[in-house]
């Protein structure tokens, strides 16, 4: 996977934030691996779908945490510096998140 940001921007995260976000992603990775195992073990469809719902909820929770940090840091800093374009960027990302 490409580690570059499509917008060319980056942000240094605190060790604590990085740890929290990486831990969440590690749990999600484990859940997705569990889905594959369930499928390979011929687990009943509704049981797999229940686990898919849990993965979706975990991803949504990750997105909410990342969005909260983005608002507190990147968006707030840009607005203080007079960069109102960050609002358009935020609207665009919210539209993608709410599909």
């Amino acid at each position: 996977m490409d580690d570059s940001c499509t917008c060319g921007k980056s942000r240094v995260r605190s060790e604590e934030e990085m740890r929290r976000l990486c831990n969440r992603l590690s749990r999600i990775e484990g859940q997705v691996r569990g889905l594959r195992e369930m499928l390979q073990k011929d687990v009943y469809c509704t049981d797999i779908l229940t686990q898919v719902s849990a993965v979706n909820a975990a991803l949504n929770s990750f997105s909410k945490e990342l969005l909260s940090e983005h608002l507190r840091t990147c968006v707030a800093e840009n607005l203080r510096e007079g960069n109102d374009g960050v609002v358009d960027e935020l609207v665009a990302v919210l539209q993608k998140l709410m599909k």
Side-chain angles (χ1 to χ4, degrees):
M1 180 168 41
D2 185 6
D3 288 337
S4 64
C5 176
T6 57
C7 62
K9 298 177 185 177
S10 65
R11 182 172 89 76
V12 176
R13 291 175 173 78
S14 70
E15 286 183 34
E16 173 63 20
E17 179 186 1
M18 184 68 78
R19 184 191 58 76
R20 280 193 329 269
L21 292 172
C22 284
N23 284 345
R24 280 185 182 269
L25 287 176
S26 292
R27 285 191 298 272
I28 293 167
E29 285 176 326
Q31 288 177 298
V32 172
R33 281 192 302 273
L35 282 171
R36 180 187 307 265
E37 290 171 14
M38 291 173 80
L39 188 63
Q40 291 171 337
K41 292 178 181 177
D42 295 323
V43 172
Y44 192 61
C45 301
T46 57
D47 295 334
I48 296 172
L49 289 168
T50 299
Q51 185 61 26
V52 168
S53 177
V55 171
N56 283 330
L59 281 168
N60 284 335
S61 182
F62 173 84
S63 293
K64 285 186 240 179
E65 184 171 344
L66 187 59
L67 179 59
S68 294
E69 287 297 322
H70 180 62
L71 289 169
R72 287 186 193 101
T73 57
C74 302
V75 173
E77 290 168 13
N78 274 275
L79 289 175
R80 279 192 292 272
E81 294 170 2
N83 180 4
D84 293 341
V86 71
V87 174
D88 293 332
E89 178 185 80
L90 180 60
V91 168
V93 79
L94 287 172
Q95 288 173 341
K96 289 178 185 177
L97 284 172
M98 293 181 171
K99 280 187 178 180

